[in-house]
Each structure stands twice: as structure tokens, then as C-alpha cells.
Amino acid sequence: MGSQDFDPAQKGEPDLLNHSAEQLNGSLKGKDILSVRQFDTPTLDRIFYWSIEMAEIARKGYKADFLSRRILANVFYEPSTRTSSSFTAAMERLGGSVIPINEVTYSSVAKGEDLEDTMRTLERYADVIVLRHPEMGSATIAAEAVSIPLINAGDGVGEHPTQALLDYVTVRKEQGRVNGLTVTMLGDMRHGRTVHSLARLLSLYDVKLNYVSPEILRMPPEIVEELDAKGVRQTEFDSLAQVLPETDVLYVTRVQKERFDDPAVYDSVKGLYVVTPETLQAGKESLTIMHPLPRVGEIAKSVDLYTRNAAYFRQMENGLYVRMTLLAGVLGKLPTT
Ligand code: ASP
Ligand code: CP
């Protein structure tokens, strides 16, 4: 939302790292969703319960009318399958409609129009904007430019808050709780916006976090420090074998090829970790394996057969229900969020 909606004295300077995002305090109505830092556990509880309601609505197969006559501008400056299509499906399941800008090459961005002017244009046609963009902080800049709610669908190596929310819902559904769990994140901690958001969100709970990666793909120090200051137990490892036996949730990630300047460096770290059925032998029977997807070989397809453990397709489905909740929430159509 634009600065006219806030007290400028409180709002301060725009903050490229999404630090200025407004706390939600249980109400999504009219708010931007830029960072997981905006959430607290009561708000997360409500999102969890609403996402279960939304699953029911989606399952019944008829269009609910929560969002009739509402329009979403779904703007993707980077590739997406799940986030883009689940926001579209979410809007349509709730009776709304979508302006899809999935390929900015065919919009006036290709003529050189900047992000802010593009957002100001779409604001005139839509009630809510979803934005994915390659630069960290872009969602905050875009939100400052408009007065309708804006949802960050991934800002470069920054955050992917709606992914973290669906990850949280998945952990809670699969394990029945969040407190007391050991969550091991595997792969590209440095560039993976999903792990940046998820680690921050889980810091609201009593969890133990393990980060398994090669040296050059470690979790950014500012995130480790931020979570240290909150007293979160975090440990870095090189090998999964060191931590798998104690792990409740294994969150596997793709090495983010598109973030490397030097292809040789990417080649040196890609394919270092591959989860196979043999990997599961050392894990708990109740182990939940997650992945934000797309996968490019980090989880062998044969693991998909371990349906109790392999939660990544259920995880992706939860994205639809969480995004139905968020859209209805920011558009003021949920009684309790
Ligand atoms: N789809 C997720 C993202 O956009 C994860 C990935 O691409 O590896 O961040
Ligand atoms: N998890 C995720 O964001 O997937 P997409 O990149 O396909 O949207």
C-alpha cells in the first residue's frame, strides 16, 4: 500500500529489505504481504484454520463468491509454475478474475517502463497485485507506489513469504505441531529465498534449525544473526548424514542456478546432495520431506513412492488454500483475518 495510508512519521524511509512491512496483528485487511516478519503466531493460527476451510471450498468444486467482481493483477518478472497458477486458481475459486502478466516481455516493461509505473498502471485496473521480481526489495518499492494491497511472490534472493506460509501449514498438517521439531534445510541456503523466509517464520516457534550446504552456499550471516538474537538454535553442517537421524522435517532446495554469475561455480556445487530411498533408511519413520519445487534432481523420483514421508506435492497443494486465504484476507472478505 502507498504511503498515503500510513503515518509518514511512523513509516520512515523505504527499506529495501522489507523491514518496513507493517505488522499484521491478526488482520490482513488492506495490508501488503511483503515479509514473514509481519506475522505473529495468532495470525498464523488463523491462516492455518482458514486454509483448511478453503480446502473444503476448493474440494466442493463450485466457485465461492467471496471475491466476485474483484480482480488480481498477477505480475511475474521471473518464471513460475506453482505461485502464478495457484494465485490464479485461488482468485477464480473464490469467484474473482485475473489480469495475467506472466511474460513481461509482452507487456510495456519490454519498452522500458519501470516497476513503479507498471504498478501504478495496474492499480487502476485491479484490486490486488501479486508480484514476483528478480531484485531483492522490489516488492517494497512496488508496494510504496500503489495504494492497493501488494503480495510479494518472491523478490530475488530476498523473501518468498507466501511460500513460507504454505510451508508452515504443511509442517503443521504433516507433523501435527511446529513446536519441538528439528527442521533441517538442505541445499542452497545463500540464494534460496524460500529458506530465508521459512527460517525467519519458524523463529516464532520453539524449533531447532540445521542448515546443510557447501561452504559457499551458507545461510546469509545477517539471517543467522537475526535468529541468534531471538535465541533460535541454529547449526551449520556440510553433510546430511550428520543430522538426518534427529531430523523431523527435511526441507530440500534447488541450487539456484539463475543467481550465479559464474557457471563454473554453479557446476561445482550442483548435484552435491541427492535424497534417495537409501537416504530415508537413516531417517525417522515419521520424517517429512519437503521441497518448494521445482526440483532438478535433489530428490530422486523413487522417493515419491514413500507417500507418508514425501510431502512435497501435498505442500504445493496447500499453496492454493493458503493463497485463497491471503487474497480473501487482504481484500477484507474474511471475518477473522
Ligand atoms: N520456486 C521457488 C522460488 O521461486 C524455489 C525455487 O525456484 O527453487 O523461490
Ligand atoms: N515454489 C515456487 O515458488 O514455485 P514456482 O517458482 O513454480 O512458482
Side-chain angles (χ1 to χ4, degrees):
M1 292 197 309
S3 45
Q4 68 265 39
D5 299 299
F6 294 111
D7 173 1
Q10 287 187 4
K11 188 155 171 82
E13 292 294 309
D15 183 332
L16 294 187
L17 299 176
N18 301 328
H19 287 162
S20 64
E22 191 183 358
Q23 284 300 306
L24 298 170
N25 295 326
S27 172
L28 302 182
K29 187 176 174 182
K31 307 270 180 67
D32 301 315
I33 298 177
L34 303 177
S35 164
V36 291
R37 292 188 183 96
Q38 293 171 267
F39 291 83
D40 54 19
T41 53
T43 309
L44 292 171
D45 281 340
R46 287 186 195 145
I47 288 173
F48 181 78
Y49 289 113
W50 267 107
S51 73
I52 289 168
E53 291 288 314
M54 292 299 183
E56 239 351 85
I57 290 173
R59 213 167 284 130
K60 285 185 183 141
Y62 62 80
K63 271 195 181 184
D65 62 358
F66 283 79
L67 298 183
S68 64
R69 297 187 303 282
R70 295 293 189 283
I71 297 177
L72 159 69
N74 206 27
V75 189
F76 282 72
Y77 286 71
E78 277 191 337
S80 169
T81 299
R82 279 145 290 271
T83 313
S84 171
S85 55
S86 62
F87 267 117
T88 299
M91 202 64 194
E92 295 195 354
R93 290 269 182 211
L94 294 175
S97 52
V98 180
I99 301 171
I101 305 193
N102 287 332
E103 180 49 272
V104 288
T105 327
Y106 296 114
S107 73
S108 284
V109 170
K111 301 179 204 166
E113 187 162 49
D114 72 12
L115 178 63
E116 283 144 299
D117 282 1
T118 305
M119 294 297 109
R120 284 190 196 108
T121 304
L122 292 168
E123 171 182 28
R124 300 297 195 280
Y125 308 143
D127 302 291
V128 53
I129 296 173
V130 166
L131 174 69
R132 172 171 289 183
H133 193 280
E135 279 160 39
M136 180 158 71
S138 53
T140 302
I141 291 171
E144 295 286 336
V146 297
S147 56
I148 60 174
L150 186 137
I151 302 177
N152 180 5
D155 62 327
V157 298
E159 283 220 31
H160 194 344
T162 69
Q163 176 74 44
L165 293 169
L166 75 91
D167 293 341
Y168 149 79
V169 165
T170 304
V171 169
R172 196 162 157 182
K173 279 188 180 172
E174 297 288 325
Q175 291 279 330
R177 65 193 169 120
V178 181
N179 282 321
L181 296 178
T182 296
V183 178
T184 297
M185 300 182 186
L186 174 73
D188 191 346
M189 303 296 109
R190 179 173 176 198
H191 307 106
R193 57 192 172 200
T194 67
V195 283
H196 300 167
S197 285
L198 183 60
R200 285 185 172 121
L201 196 70
L202 291 177
S203 73
L204 294 170
Y205 297 89
D206 174 24
V207 291
K208 185 170 174 218
L209 299 181
N210 297 318
Y211 309 134
V212 181
S213 74
E215 192 65 41
I216 61 165
L217 298 182
R218 294 283 192 228
M219 189 63 93
E222 59 274 18
I223 296 181
V224 175
E225 281 158 27
E226 183 183 324
L227 269 59
D228 261 346
K230 294 169 124 187
V232 180
R233 290 164 294 161
Q234 311 170 83
T235 317
E236 293 180 327
F237 297 91
D238 298 319
S239 112
L240 180 59
Q242 291 168 273
V243 283
L244 191 60
E246 67 163 29
T247 297
D248 298 298
V249 175
L250 176 61
Y251 192 94
V252 186
T253 67
R254 172 180 70 92
V255 178
Q256 308 277 293
K257 183 178 186 183
E258 65 274 33
R259 311 289 179 212
F260 287 77
D261 295 328
D262 182 350
V265 179
Y266 169 72
D267 285 340
S268 73
V269 286
K270 72 163 193 219
L272 278 184
Y273 306 104
V274 179
V275 175
T276 64
E278 290 67 50
T279 314
L280 298 183
Q281 305 301 314
K284 292 186 180 179
E285 221 178 291
S286 59
L287 177 70
T288 297
I289 305 173
M290 295 171 60
H291 192 309
L293 303 176
R295 65 175 154 183
V296 287
E298 311 81 33
I299 301 180
K301 295 241 166 133
S302 44
V303 175
D304 301 359
L305 301 174
Y306 292 75
T307 48
R308 179 187 169 145
N309 308 104
Y312 28 94
F313 295 118
R314 295 190 288 277
Q315 177 185 0
M316 167 179 83
E317 183 181 331
N318 289 331
L320 171 63
Y321 313 137
V322 166
R323 289 171 178 135
M324 288 168 79
T325 302
L326 295 176
L327 287 170
V330 299
L331 290 171
K333 298 293 176 186
L334 291 185
T336 55
T337 54

